[in-house]
Amino acid sequence: MHRVGSAGNTAGSSRPRKEKRFTYVLNDADNKKHCAGINCLSYLNASASGTSDYLFTGSRDGTLKRWEYQNGDANFSATFESHVDWINDAIIVGQNLVSCSSDTTLKVWNCLADGACTKTLRQHSDYVICLAAAEKNSNIVASGGLGGEVFIWDLDAAIAPIAKSVDAKEDEVPNGNSGPALSTLCNVSSSGNIVSTNGKSHGYSPIAAKGHKDSVYALDMNDTGTLLVSGGTEKVVRVWDPRTGSKNMKLRGHTDNIRALLIDSTGRYCLSGSSDSMIRLWDLGQQRCVHSYAVHTDSVWALASTPSFGHVYSGGRDQSVYLTDLSTRESVLLCTNEHPILQLSLQDDTIWVATTDSSVYGWPAEGQSPQKVFQKGGSFLAGNLSFSRARASLEGSAPVPVYKEPSFTIPGVPAIVQHEIMNNRRHVLTKDTVGSVKLWEITRGAVIEDFGKVSFDDKKKELFEMVSIPAWFTMDARLGCLSVHLDTPQCFSAEIYAVDLNVTGAQEDLKINLAHETLRGLLVHWSKRRPKPGPHSLSNGDSSIGKDVSLKNLPHPRSDVDDGSENHANNVLPSFEFSTVSPPSIITESSSGGPWRKRITDLDGTEDDLPWWCVDCAENGRFPKENTKCGFYLHPAEGSPAPNITQGKLSAPRILRVLKVANYVVEKLVLEKPLDGSPDSAFAMGLTSGTSALDSSSRLGLKPWQKLKPSVEILCNNQQVLSPEMSLATVRTYIWKKPEDLILNYRVVQSR
């Protein structure tokens, strides 16, 4: 899971406070498409929306998308983005869309708005997996999750605006109970979320249906909201009164996890699908199972019924959708998919299918007249033992699907399933679900080369570079795309020369801090729209006087070999410009500890809950100066007549090239004394080199022999000649390979 670092209260703790993590999520070329499996579907009819039919899809990429369905075609309409982990379920409640996620929250959205989250509800202690609502009561929502918790929410009370003064000593909360001042209960973050310091929505507490001892995977509610059914890893169906949270009954029969539940509009019958591959029909009045259907050969994960509750469509791990007549037990294989089926939604004559793939499929279903499907032939009688279908499949009598191709496809982007951070710490090699291999540049969030379907391992070997850059970020692809995590101060440990980034007009010694420039690129829209503070104050309220002295103003010891100075560019460098067409999203925590997510182009400058260290870096160019130095010793090579020019250990930036060390040696040899101490010997040897330009020597009044420049080689382990383009860090990592301080050697190699 994509976790967000906590910035909770550490009072009374001896441990240092952990700063909030900053994450950015990269999108491929088309952010109008999902890039991970579709966990849920919800449909809004034109009669309810007042405009068109809309299909809502929730994905493992952490976003919901709205698709306008007209004239047999589904067109992208909006993205709903605020969750920071997988979206596991979503339902329509009146004019609201309610979603739940592995980030432990529920979020409420206006179905027909532009995709902004209106409220965030927090009560669960673990992933929220499933939701249920009453069709005729647009105010009640139930949620269940891996913590074994089931909550029943009154949406009006949960999302009611706060109208009373936060200065009051005692305020009334929406459910009529008195509570502490609202200032201690909730904060409204800049991301549109209501978050509270006590984990609840401004003092409101949902009804808790207590009884589950383990994870809850499935919920459903009857139309009037008088019955709620739940199931999970306990293998039983529990029936509740959602108005009070009290238990009505417990139904036993399944032998494995219950993964899907359906209750009819009257509340008399309930269907359950299980990992034991069985579908069961329960009579709640009689409190018993009246039918069982052995249709699938593997776990049943999704159910959808016709309006009359006479037929059921089912799908699951076996990648198949079956239509079953609940009265006659006749069943037919409607279609097969290439991926396990996670959820079904029946709308008129189309069954929408969500799978672990990032695309959504609409198949013919004859939902108004399901008997038409059976008339096409291929039906069989569903058994009542779970092994009967599996045995039939093994014996070669598996049914043939009625439909070969879907009627509609809403394509997605293949999810990233494998990634490798390259040694330069700017490029990442990825492989997606269709085998396509791409090279990303994460400092600007772009694919720089698409290699197509090639061997990932072979391409990784081909792109190997013998360079050593500190690990300044961590990464995962849990959301089907690359999520890059930055933690201070570690993220500021990597530097690179500007010339290596092809920065136009850059000085040779100019160093770029990768995290610094990346943050500036990510927050450039936020910075431009942010209200400017007073001339003598910083974003965190501190005075600039004496806060942070630039290292370039500090004296360096004589033995420092440093070729650069600190620099803060005024504009975003090309290598750190992120796309505005498919912009990345950022994820961080609000001031009250709740995570939020926004595209960088949607940042309006009012987001005051960005991590302070990111703001200080992007706005003021200030960041922790991590130890980017490398200590080493520099001695003459064995058998070389060159003198020893250093005393003790030297210190230089880790990215310093061997060429610079050679220049340093040349400078010492030329400016201090000739090789044998005699002015004539330098002329006799005719030493020369193009590796160092000491043209100022004549102006300094130097002796003639001091104007000659020897050519030297730098060695490691007294035997391997180093490439001038190698950095000290590369030498230490790939050639020295010892925990002790690096030892380099030098020798004169040319005389003319």
Side-chain angles (χ1 to χ4, degrees):
M1 174 184 174
H2 179 100
R3 297 289 188 186
V4 181
S6 173
N9 185 6
T10 56
S13 171
S14 60
R15 298 172 58 189
R17 183 172 70 92
K18 181 177 176 62
E19 299 294 351
K20 290 190 290 186
R21 166 175 282 188
F22 184 90
T23 295
Y24 62 99
V25 182
L26 303 181
N27 295 311
D28 208 338
D30 192 351
N31 63 357
K32 294 181 179 180
K33 299 177 181 179
H34 285 298
C35 63
I38 311 299
N39 279 344
C40 54
L41 303 165
S42 194
Y43 204 91
L44 182 65
N45 291 307
S47 58
S49 70
T51 54
S52 305
D53 284 10
Y54 290 104
L55 176 67
F56 295 85
T57 55
S59 171
R60 295 178 177 183
D61 63 16
T63 69
L64 297 120
K65 295 189 185 294
R66 183 179 67 212
W67 310 89
E68 186 175 12
Y69 186 62
Q70 284 185 325
N71 303 321
D73 196 14
N75 297 307
F76 171 80
S77 177
T79 293
F80 298 76
E81 185 172 8
S82 184
H83 283 296
V84 302
D85 208 335
W86 289 12
I87 292 174
N88 296 316
D89 204 359
I91 54 173
I92 303 293
V93 185
Q95 290 296 309
N96 290 317
L97 175 68
V98 181
S99 58
C100 67
S101 167
S102 296
D103 64 15
T104 75
T105 70
L106 281 73
K107 289 184 182 286
V108 184
W109 322 74
N110 185 321
C111 284
L112 304 178
D114 59 359
C117 173
T118 57
K119 302 294 178 185
T120 297
L121 306 176
R122 310 179 188 280
Q123 193 74 31
H124 285 268
S125 62
D126 208 333
Y127 296 3
V128 192
I129 300 299
C130 49
L131 298 170
E135 186 173 328
K136 295 181 180 178
N137 186 341
S138 61
N139 197 40
I140 303 299
V141 173
S143 59
L146 298 190
E149 302 151 325
V150 175
F151 295 114
I152 300 99
W153 302 82
D154 181 329
L155 281 188
D156 283 349
I159 66 178
I162 303 170
K164 297 196 176 186
S165 169
V166 296
D167 296 324
K169 294 193 176 181
E170 184 168 287
D171 292 293
E172 207 168 291
V173 291
N175 60 5
N177 298 326
S178 62
L182 290 175
S183 59
T184 66
L185 288 174
C186 112
N187 292 291
V188 182
S189 76
S190 57
S191 52
N193 300 340
I194 284 191
V195 291
S196 56
T197 54
N198 66 350
K200 302 174 184 177
S201 295
H202 56 269
Y204 168 78
S205 295
I207 296 172
K210 298 180 180 179
H212 279 283
K213 297 171 184 166
D214 214 332
S215 300
V216 177
Y217 287 143
L219 293 171
D220 201 22
M221 199 181 298
N222 68 335
D223 284 359
T224 57
T226 57
L227 281 178
L228 172 70
V229 290
S230 64
T233 55
E234 296 171 82
K235 309 171 189 175
V236 299
V237 178
R238 295 180 184 270
V239 185
W240 314 81
D241 184 341
R243 297 164 294 185
T244 62
S246 58
K247 291 180 281 189
N248 286 358
M249 66 189 78
K250 188 189 297 184
L251 305 173
R252 302 181 183 276
H254 283 294
T255 59
D256 207 335
N257 301 337
I258 294 172
R259 300 298 302 267
L261 289 168
L262 279 181
I263 191 169
D264 78 327
S265 58
T266 66
R268 178 178 177 183
Y269 293 105
C270 174
L271 278 167
S272 59
S274 168
S275 295
D276 63 12
S277 78
M278 296 294 292
I279 301 171
R280 291 184 180 272
L281 178 64
W282 308 85
D283 187 319
L284 300 184
Q286 299 180 27
Q287 301 188 24
R288 69 184 185 92
C289 176
V290 292
H291 287 295
S292 57
Y293 308 89
V295 173
H296 290 269
T297 60
D298 209 329
S299 301
V300 181
W301 289 349
L303 297 172
S305 73
T306 55
S308 65
F309 215 72
H311 296 77
V312 63
Y313 299 83
S314 57
R317 193 172 181 178
D318 61 7
Q319 307 176 7
S320 302
V321 177
Y322 287 92
L323 171 62
T324 303
D325 187 320
L326 296 178
S327 299
T328 66
R329 307 178 62 84
E330 189 178 9
S331 187
V332 64
L333 176 59
L334 191 74
C335 61
T336 58
N337 293 261
E338 296 180 359
H339 306 275
I341 295 163
L342 301 176
Q343 201 167 96
L344 300 170
S345 178
L346 178 65
Q347 297 299 324
D348 299 328
D349 290 332
T350 299
I351 184 82
W352 292 97
V353 179
T355 73
T356 56
D357 182 36
S358 56
S359 300
V360 183
Y361 305 93
W363 291 85
E366 301 291 352
Q368 313 257 358
S369 304
Q371 286 301 329
K372 292 181 180 179
V373 179
F374 291 100
Q375 291 170 6
K376 296 178 183 294
S379 64
F380 61 93
L381 193 64
N384 56 11
L385 297 176
S386 61
F387 63 83
S388 59
R389 282 289 303 115
R391 183 176 59 190
S393 177
L394 292 173
E395 291 173 353
S397 58
V400 177
V402 175
Y403 300 106
K404 307 295 185 183
E405 297 291 336
S407 304
F408 314 102
T409 299
I410 302 176
V413 176
I416 293 174
V417 293
Q418 189 175 1
H419 68 276
E420 182 77 19
I421 301 172
M422 309 309 290
N423 288 349
N424 62 17
R425 301 291 172 179
R426 291 186 296 118
H427 296 161
V428 175
L429 192 68
T430 64
K431 180 180 179 181
D432 60 30
T433 51
V434 298
S436 181
V437 176
K438 298 178 181 179
L439 187 65
W440 292 72
E441 186 169 15
I442 64 155
T443 53
R444 59 188 182 97
V447 175
I448 57 177
E449 193 160 0
D450 187 343
F451 301 107
K453 296 181 180 180
V454 298
S455 168
F456 183 83
D457 291 334
D458 290 347
K459 184 57 65 174
K460 182 173 69 173
K461 293 176 183 177
E462 178 186 329
L463 296 175
F464 173 81
E465 293 180 87
M466 190 182 289
V467 295
S468 179
I469 303 291
W472 60 280
F473 64 89
T474 55
M475 173 176 283
D476 68 62
R478 174 178 168 79
L479 300 180
C481 46
L482 296 178
S483 295
V484 184
H485 312 296
L486 303 181
D487 293 288
T488 188
Q490 304 95 304
C491 66
F492 296 108
S493 61
E495 292 180 329
I496 189 171
Y497 286 114
V499 292
D500 291 336
L501 294 173
N502 299 317
V503 177
T504 304
Q507 297 178 357
E508 181 185 4
D509 295 343
L510 177 63
K511 296 194 291 278
I512 299 294
N513 187 285
L514 293 178
H516 174 209
E517 296 300 331
T518 300
L519 284 170
R520 292 183 64 245
L522 289 166
L523 298 179
V524 64
H525 303 282
W526 176 85
S527 295
K528 289 178 179 178
R529 299 164 184 167
R530 177 173 169 79
K532 299 303 178 185
H536 301 296
S537 64
L538 299 176
S539 59
N540 61 357
D542 293 333
S543 168
S544 61
I545 303 299
K547 179 69 177 180
D548 186 24
V549 181
S550 174
L551 291 185
K552 67 181 179 182
N553 296 324
L554 297 178
H556 293 283
R558 183 179 176 88
S559 59
D560 257 10
V561 181
D562 197 342
D563 68 325
S565 61
E566 305 302 321
N567 182 281
H568 179 69
N570 293 323
N571 301 312
V572 174
L573 299 173
S575 296
F576 301 90
E577 288 181 343
F578 289 87
S579 169
T580 56
V581 178
S582 296
S585 303
I586 64 169
I587 295 176
T588 189
E589 291 184 34
S590 71
S591 55
S592 300
W596 58 273
R597 170 175 173 172
K598 246 185 185 180
R599 281 178 291 189
I600 61 171
T601 50
D602 291 339
L603 298 172
D604 56 17
T606 64
E607 293 82 5
D608 294 325
D609 41 12
L610 288 170
W612 71 267
W613 58 270
C614 296
V615 174
D616 211 20
C617 175
E619 290 268 281
N620 308 311
R622 301 188 309 181
F623 50 89
K625 301 300 189 291
E626 283 289 277
N627 180 21
T628 58
K629 299 288 187 179
C630 175
F632 67 100
Y633 293 93
L634 189 59
H635 300 315
E638 292 180 1
S640 171
N644 192 351
I645 58 175
T646 62
Q647 299 293 327
K649 186 166 69 172
L650 301 176
S651 176
R654 287 185 299 217
I655 62 172
L656 189 83
R657 292 191 177 93
V658 168
L659 173 64
K660 293 290 185 176
V661 179
N663 288 352
Y664 175 78
V665 173
V666 169
E667 181 180 323
K668 286 289 187 178
L669 289 176
V670 170
L671 294 182
E672 292 191 355
K673 61 181 178 179
L675 297 182
D676 63 356
S678 166
D680 296 332
S681 63
F683 287 103
M685 295 180 64
L687 296 179
T688 181
S689 171
T691 61
S692 177
L694 301 177
D695 296 333
S696 62
S697 60
S698 59
R699 297 193 301 270
L700 297 176
L702 301 179
K703 297 177 181 180
W705 62 262
Q706 290 177 311
K707 300 178 185 179
L708 299 178
K709 294 167 284 187
S711 178
V712 299
E713 283 181 341
I714 305 299
L715 297 83
C716 184
N717 295 321
N718 257 313
Q719 55 185 1
Q720 183 167 346
V721 178
L722 302 177
S723 166
E725 297 305 311
M726 277 190 179
S727 69
L728 293 179
T730 301
V731 174
R732 183 179 182 90
T733 302
Y734 294 102
I735 299 176
W736 180 247
K737 299 180 182 179
K738 301 175 186 176
E740 298 85 5
D741 286 323
L742 174 65
I743 299 177
L744 299 179
N745 310 103
Y746 57 90
R747 68 185 179 195
V748 177
V749 296
Q750 180 182 358
S751 61
R752 291 200 300 267

